[in-house]
Amino acid sequence: MTPDLPPVAPSVTAELVEALSPRLRKRLDAGVTKLVARPAVREGDTVRIAVDDETDVVLHAPGGTVTGADAIRCGCLLAPDCLHRAAAASAAPVAAEAPPPSPAPAEAAEAREGTEPVPGTGPAAQPDRTGPAETETATAEQRAAARTVCDAAAAVLEAGADGAGAVLQAGLLHAAHTARLAGLPRASAAAVSVVTGVRAARSADPGYRLADLAGALADVLGVAHRLPHATGPDLTELRGTARQPYRPDGSLRLYGLFSEPVLTATGYAGAVTWTADADGRLYTVSDVAPGGPARATGAADRAVRIGDTALTHRELSRAGLAVSGATVSPTGRLGAGAGVRAVRASGAAWHAEPLDRLWAVPAAEQVARALKGGQDLLFLEVTLTGTVRETTGDCLLADCAGLPLRLATAHDDPSLPHRDNLRLLAAARGSRLRIVARLVPEPLPRALLLAVEHPTDPAARVDLGLDRLRHADLPAGAVAPPAEAAPTADEVPLHLLRRRVHQAVSGGRRVLASAGSVSGDAVRLRRLGLATAGDLLDDLHAAAADRSRDAFGRLLPADTDHFARAWLAAAVYTDAVERALCAGGWGAATTGTPSSEPSSATLARG
């Protein structure tokens, strides 16, 4: 995947790959590698790739996205069913598809009023009604689409990121498109996230994280597995929404908190500015579009897209906003409709009302809220105590009301100043600062550092992804201490199961099938009270090694569904226990503990 190419709709990539002959499909991965190495020249909405001295591949992307197969053209003799068009689509970032149009007049009226139609409500997606209570269930079309997504995702898991080439990726993109047409945007988006993660892994993208890909795979398999049996509110949640519905929220008086850059592996970049009202509710103003690092760093100086205000994101993060006729999504994103009016207003310091109340909430309460699905931002007051060296780089050590806390960079891209700012903050050892961070659900208290109070000016703040600290901003005589080795801690050995879950995502079934005996790991897990973890580890390896042969000794096709279900049970369990350990590490209230773990049979069913 290369950010030099415009995003391509999943349906386009699936269509072009499906049109290839079996012989060309075998050569597709090599074709993608060759095409990525060629320079791409952008001219307005057109991107041109010189395959050789006589052949060009042209991608036409009106609005920044390739939405049709005919928008990718090639000058070779085999066109249109040539390898080059499919390779270009497979090398490009995956675009977010628009929801399918609906002919229903009521939905059209809703769209004109500023609301978005909810998937699963159109004529083609009316729910099945059974029994006297008419319990809502998934339609036959949705169940078939969920099965298609599950099969495609299981095939990717079977091969692992290392073996999931362009053909398997196209199969999952086709399933994503099918799910969207059936009114299942959540399954569609999760499938696209898996493809994006696989491409990042195969291209050695520095932003790739194995844990993120494992989470995306668990999400898409979990949704596809549960949806055919879901009813009522559970079904609505599993279907998801194609777009965020914006609802009127009257007049708002907002105070800027901070801005953060956005740079995704899907080829989108920009900035998001966080604000709060007098009651502490959070609202965001975003400017995200197709682009790369340059757009992520430049978007902060663009005017915010709301009302007639000329404030930039950088200015809004320190000023205020008075909005009338506001429309707000369920996640707090402010709409920019024609009826919205906004003017600049005075801001507030972090230590002044009303922003001060955000830091008055105990850290444990904030973490409990985040783990229950609420906002994952943490507003903490910490004392910097040093740095620690980890495998992914150095991170800050801090004391938060007696709780040891690790603060890591929110993004590792060298074009963003996150890591440079963290190194300078290490020199402010002993400083007591207010920070804004994003929770990382791990057993040890950990968060991603987003913004910080200025080390020498309590009335100022630093957006660590946009602003650059300098030595002059630090306290006099500040010197960065050497990074220490990460201290060992007595942790629940959940890594014995987690590493097998991650190994399967990276290398596929064959890695676990040849991993040898793991009875020692399973015994250790049971001895320490994690009996379910031991059972799941045994089940996972048994499913990986389960290959039958025919009468002639030839291997029969693998049962990908069995392996996917065993892997999903292990992934769901690992996530649940890690979240419980995270709550325990922060001292947050939780409904369960690692010792009261669900049984492997329960996990396999759900």
Side-chain angles (χ1 to χ4, degrees):
M1 182 179 65
T2 170
D4 296 331
L5 300 180
V8 177
S11 57
V12 174
T13 304
E15 179 182 345
L16 293 176
V17 174
E18 187 175 359
L20 295 177
S21 65
R23 180 178 63 87
L24 290 180
R25 289 190 183 189
K26 294 179 181 179
R27 298 170 51 191
L28 182 54
D29 289 329
V32 171
T33 302
K34 180 179 178 181
L35 197 72
V36 168
R38 304 297 296 174
V41 179
R42 184 180 294 271
E43 300 173 356
D45 291 336
T46 300
V47 176
R48 187 179 302 273
I49 307 171
V51 178
D52 53 41
D53 294 339
E54 299 179 354
T55 305
D56 289 347
V57 176
V58 179
L59 294 85
H60 184 55
T65 302
V66 177
T67 57
D70 57 352
I72 302 180
R73 301 186 299 273
C74 179
C76 75
L77 296 177
L78 295 179
D81 298 333
C82 64
L83 181 69
H84 303 132
R85 297 175 70 218
S90 300
V94 183
E97 283 191 307
S102 171
E107 293 181 2
E110 283 185 356
R112 288 194 297 270
E113 302 249 335
T115 60
E116 301 290 351
V118 177
T121 60
Q126 290 301 317
D128 293 337
R129 305 286 183 175
T130 58
E134 293 188 338
T135 303
E136 183 180 6
T137 61
T139 67
E141 182 186 5
Q142 290 174 339
R143 289 193 292 269
R147 183 71 261 172
T148 301
V149 170
C150 189
D151 290 344
V156 170
L157 178 63
E158 174 86 11
D162 296 341
V167 174
L168 285 179
Q169 295 169 28
L172 188 51
L173 290 178
H174 181 270
H177 181 62
T178 301
R180 182 165 289 275
L181 292 179
L184 303 177
R186 179 177 172 184
S188 176
V192 169
S193 296
V194 171
V195 174
T196 300
V198 168
R199 291 183 178 181
R202 293 173 63 85
S203 63
D205 188 326
Y208 165 70
R209 295 291 181 271
L210 179 57
D212 293 341
L213 178 55
L217 261 173
D219 188 23
V220 68
L221 287 171
V223 170
H225 177 69
R226 293 168 53 201
L227 190 139
H229 315 288
T231 59
D234 288 341
L235 177 60
T236 301
E237 179 188 356
L238 291 172
R239 281 173 175 162
T241 54
R243 294 176 183 168
Q244 295 274 345
Y246 286 82
R247 304 298 183 193
D249 202 17
S251 299
L252 297 174
R253 176 65 170 91
L254 304 177
Y255 301 84
L257 276 168
F258 73 100
S259 290
E260 62 173 321
V262 175
L263 184 59
T264 72
T266 56
Y268 287 82
V272 173
T273 298
W274 292 81
T275 64
D277 66 7
D279 296 325
R281 291 183 299 175
L282 301 181
Y283 299 83
T284 60
V285 181
S286 63
D287 179 7
V288 180
R295 195 181 194 285
T297 55
D301 296 315
R302 296 173 181 264
V304 297
R305 298 178 179 177
I306 179 170
D308 300 323
T309 179
L311 279 172
T312 66
H313 284 269
R314 195 185 301 273
E315 293 170 338
L316 176 58
S317 67
R318 291 158 175 80
L321 205 63
V323 186
S324 61
T327 57
V328 185
S329 77
T331 58
R333 180 177 177 179
L334 291 172
V340 180
R341 298 289 183 268
V343 296
R344 179 172 185 158
S346 60
W350 283 359
H351 286 273
E353 288 292 341
L355 300 185
D356 180 66
R357 67 184 60 188
L358 295 172
W359 279 266
V361 180
E365 185 176 332
Q366 297 184 52
V367 171
R369 175 193 63 202
L371 293 176
K372 291 176 182 177
Q375 184 53 251
D376 62 353
L377 290 185
L378 303 179
F379 300 88
L380 308 174
E381 194 158 352
V382 303
T383 301
L384 303 182
T385 59
T387 57
V388 63
R389 183 176 297 106
E390 297 182 338
T391 56
T392 56
D394 295 350
C395 69
L396 282 176
L397 292 177
D399 178 88
C400 179
L403 184 72
L405 173 63
R406 298 187 183 192
L407 300 172
T409 56
H411 208 294
D412 289 330
D413 193 284
S415 63
L416 302 177
H418 283 290
R419 191 159 293 285
D420 293 339
N421 286 333
L422 187 139
R423 292 193 186 101
L424 278 176
L425 281 175
R429 185 173 184 174
S431 298
R432 186 168 182 79
L433 305 172
R434 285 190 168 184
I435 65 170
V436 182
R438 181 166 285 119
L439 176 67
V440 178
E442 290 187 357
L444 294 176
R446 184 182 186 88
L448 304 178
L449 194 56
L450 302 173
V452 63
E453 177 185 330
H454 195 282
T456 57
D457 184 2
R461 66 197 73 161
V462 180
D463 297 337
L464 296 177
L466 300 172
D467 304 326
R468 286 193 178 273
L469 281 169
R470 305 191 182 280
H471 286 285
D473 298 318
L474 303 177
V479 178
E484 303 173 356
T488 58
D490 293 331
E491 297 183 39
V492 176
L494 195 63
H495 65 276
L496 299 176
L497 179 61
R498 185 196 309 114
R499 71 182 180 187
R500 299 303 184 188
V501 169
H502 288 179
Q503 281 177 348
V505 174
S506 180
R509 173 203 288 265
R510 64 186 182 276
V511 173
L512 297 187
S514 60
S517 175
V518 292
S519 58
D521 290 344
V523 169
R524 182 181 176 191
L525 288 169
R526 294 187 181 95
R527 185 173 64 249
L528 295 174
L530 296 177
T532 299
D535 293 342
L536 291 172
L537 183 58
D538 287 340
D539 292 345
L540 183 59
H541 278 274
D546 183 16
R547 294 294 304 274
S548 303
R549 296 180 181 271
D550 62 14
F552 299 98
R554 295 171 298 191
L555 281 174
L556 295 173
D559 186 351
T560 58
D561 185 61
H562 179 207
F563 178 65
R565 282 187 283 109
W567 180 88
L568 178 60
V572 170
Y573 170 88
T574 303
D575 179 69
V577 175
E578 283 183 338
R579 297 177 78 83
L581 291 172
C582 175
W586 285 86
T590 180
T591 57
T593 63
S595 60
S596 58
E597 52 177 1
S599 68
S600 57
T602 301
L603 289 166
R605 288 194 304 268

